[in-house]
Amino acid sequence: MQSNNAKQLKIVHLVTSLEVGGAQHNMLLGLPNLAPSRYKHILISIMDRMQMKDQFQQAGIEVHSLGLRKKTDIAVALRLRSLLKTIRPDILHTYLIHGNVLGRIVGRLAGVPTIIGSELTIGQAGRIGRLATKLTNPLTDAVEVNSETGGKSVVADLGVPESKIEVVLPGLDLDAFGGTDQRSLVRTELIVEDSEHLVLFVGRLRAVKGVEFGIRAFAKALEQNQNMKLALAGEGDQRSYLESLSEELGIENNVKFLGARKDLPNVLSACDSVIMPSLTEGFPRVAIEAMASAKPVIATRVGGTPEAIIHNQSGILVPSKDIEAMAGAIVNVANNSELANRLGPAARERTEQHYSASKYVTRLDEMYTRLAGLSEHDSSFAPVQGAEQ
């Protein structure tokens, strides 16, 4: 690793794409708020899917694309090596499976002093991905994870040495999720009456998110309380199947597919509870967004979720794929205003204590400083503008 007391650290962040995702949101929250006098950030997307490009550029982050469009484009490695040779970063921070593997190999060939990988999911890597990770582990100096559970998982499943694990809990702009005045407007848009309990799912409509089990649980909950609606915010390859499932269960009039939403704080403000029926999770960003919005969260006890949600204190945890248990929890929250009014504020308090933006930036700053070999007094960060401290 590097030992360099230069005033400014130059860090390249290599990510598979700039599509909307948890890793991308974390970068957008953290990088612009690390002191520019200490850090220069350059973001490289492997693919040409660049939905969030403008947001990063507006935040003052330099953005490049390697232009990958098809798997056979092996010249992408040469383009990355050339770019790294030009930039000459002190640290290469890689994200997601493609970024991790490509970055480790090409980063070493390009002579990057310090390489940090990131493993932000649990149990989602395929056989080839696990093998590639294990083979390239020796090329990285550290591996960032977003939960203690995630750290244990990558040690056991991906063969990452425990000594290389860096736990960096995520953060959130708490002011953005502190409640909005759009509740009535959004509920009117969704045709939800004031008296109805609105259950919300937020995430990609993919099998790993367990949405099918959430819909089935909601259908069973409707048998006990018909005064409820379910809204699903997100897109994914299961959408058609899930729409058909709602019709098959006879609940299509109570279920609304919203597609991808850019006004998540408003949508969260409009709902009364949030379900997370995931089959596996790293650390669920949606959980802390819902908690910051003071909403009761009903989630499966998988991955890093129990680190965010304390059962019966800041939410309710149920076993994965347990339709009966999730249905019972939905009904309990909808019918018991005392429970809902206790869980919501406690959830908000927990995010303030552990998941503020400033705490996240501090954790990032400490990791970069230590791995770059700088002393603590060299480390500083800029306060998060407009975020809960």
Side-chain angles (χ1 to χ4, degrees):
M1 285 187 290
Q2 179 188 20
S3 180
N4 179 5
N5 286 314
K7 185 175 180 62
Q8 190 181 58
L9 283 174
K10 189 183 294 184
I11 305 179
V12 164
H13 303 266
L14 179 68
V15 67
T16 303
S17 77
L18 285 185
E19 294 176 292
V20 177
Q24 292 85 346
H25 276 299
N26 277 335
M27 284 190 284
L28 191 59
L29 176 71
L31 304 189
N33 293 299
L34 286 158
S37 62
R38 285 257 302 121
Y39 294 97
K40 177 176 176 58
H41 299 285
I42 301 97
L43 180 57
I44 301 176
S45 172
I46 297 173
M47 305 179 75
D48 63 352
R49 299 175 185 174
M50 306 284 283
Q51 285 175 284
M52 296 182 68
K53 175 183 177 181
D54 290 345
Q55 290 174 264
F56 280 99
Q57 289 183 327
Q58 290 167 10
I61 306 295
E62 183 180 328
V63 178
H64 299 268
S65 172
L66 299 178
L68 180 69
R69 295 185 179 182
K70 51 187 178 181
K71 295 179 180 179
T72 55
D73 182 11
I74 59 175
V76 68
L78 298 177
R79 296 196 293 275
L80 176 59
R81 183 176 183 273
S82 176
L83 194 51
L84 292 176
K85 283 286 192 180
T86 300
I87 296 171
R88 297 174 59 85
D90 301 295
I91 294 175
L92 173 62
H93 193 165
T94 65
Y95 305 80
L96 308 177
I97 180 66
H98 301 92
N100 283 338
V101 174
L102 182 65
R104 290 171 179 183
I105 296 171
V106 178
R108 285 302 176 209
L109 291 174
V112 178
T114 302
I115 298 177
I116 305 171
S118 296
E119 295 289 351
L120 306 179
T121 62
I122 293 177
Q124 294 188 36
R127 182 175 58 85
I128 295 176
R130 289 196 299 272
L131 177 61
T133 299
K134 290 178 180 179
L135 290 175
T136 58
N137 279 335
L139 302 178
T140 191
D141 296 294
V143 175
E144 176 202 9
V145 297
N146 54 12
S147 68
E148 296 288 347
T149 304
K152 294 175 183 176
S153 174
V154 300
V155 169
D157 298 338
L158 301 179
V160 176
E162 189 173 352
S163 61
K164 290 187 177 184
I165 298 297
E166 294 281 341
V167 180
V168 180
L169 298 180
L172 200 65
D173 180 350
L174 295 179
D175 284 350
F177 291 89
T180 76
D181 59 0
Q182 301 298 304
R183 176 179 171 87
S184 295
L185 185 64
V186 175
R187 288 176 75 93
T188 298
E189 173 200 339
L190 302 182
I191 317 176
V192 177
E193 301 293 334
D194 290 341
S195 60
E196 291 180 304
H197 184 94
L198 178 60
V199 181
L200 178 68
F201 167 85
V202 178
R204 294 181 182 177
L205 305 183
R206 300 171 55 211
V208 71
K209 293 299 182 182
V211 195
E212 172 184 349
F213 298 96
I215 290 177
R216 291 186 184 277
F218 177 74
K220 187 161 285 293
L222 275 177
E223 295 173 4
Q224 301 178 59
N225 181 344
Q226 296 184 1
N227 199 36
M228 296 190 296
K229 294 275 178 68
L230 171 65
L232 300 101
E235 285 289 358
D237 56 19
Q238 277 202 319
R239 176 162 179 165
S240 295
Y241 166 69
L242 297 171
E243 289 175 333
S244 298
L245 176 63
S246 299
E247 294 175 2
E248 177 186 321
L249 295 170
I251 61 171
E252 66 272 20
N253 292 332
N254 293 78
V255 179
K256 297 182 179 296
F257 290 82
L258 310 185
R261 299 285 297 225
K262 295 183 178 180
D263 60 340
L264 185 54
N266 293 338
V267 177
L268 280 165
S269 181
C271 80
D272 300 296
S273 65
V274 174
I275 59 169
M276 292 179 51
S278 302
L279 307 186
T280 181
E281 281 286 355
F283 187 95
R285 186 175 184 81
V286 170
I288 58 174
E289 290 172 340
M291 291 164 63
S293 302
K295 303 299 178 179
V297 184
I298 302 159
T300 48
R301 191 182 283 105
V302 297
T305 302
E307 292 184 36
I309 300 172
I310 307 303
H311 181 55
N312 277 337
Q313 294 183 26
S314 55
I316 297 176
L317 296 174
V318 299
S320 178
K321 299 184 181 180
D322 193 330
I323 294 169
E324 294 280 354
M326 178 160 281
I330 292 171
V331 172
N332 197 15
V333 170
N335 291 354
N336 189 338
S337 59
E338 182 179 340
L339 174 64
N341 291 336
R342 174 172 63 82
L343 292 177
R348 170 71 189 190
E349 183 179 353
R350 182 164 175 76
T351 60
E352 291 173 350
Q353 291 174 346
H354 299 284
Y355 306 114
S356 69
S358 63
K359 284 184 172 64
Y360 173 59
V361 171
T362 298
R363 292 188 281 259
L364 274 183
D365 185 59
E366 290 172 347
M367 178 179 71
Y368 289 143
T369 296
R370 182 167 18 86
L371 292 174
L374 300 183
S375 61
E376 289 185 12
H377 66 264
D378 288 325
S379 175
S380 62
F381 67 90
V384 178
Q385 298 300 316
E388 187 72 29
Q389 296 297 305

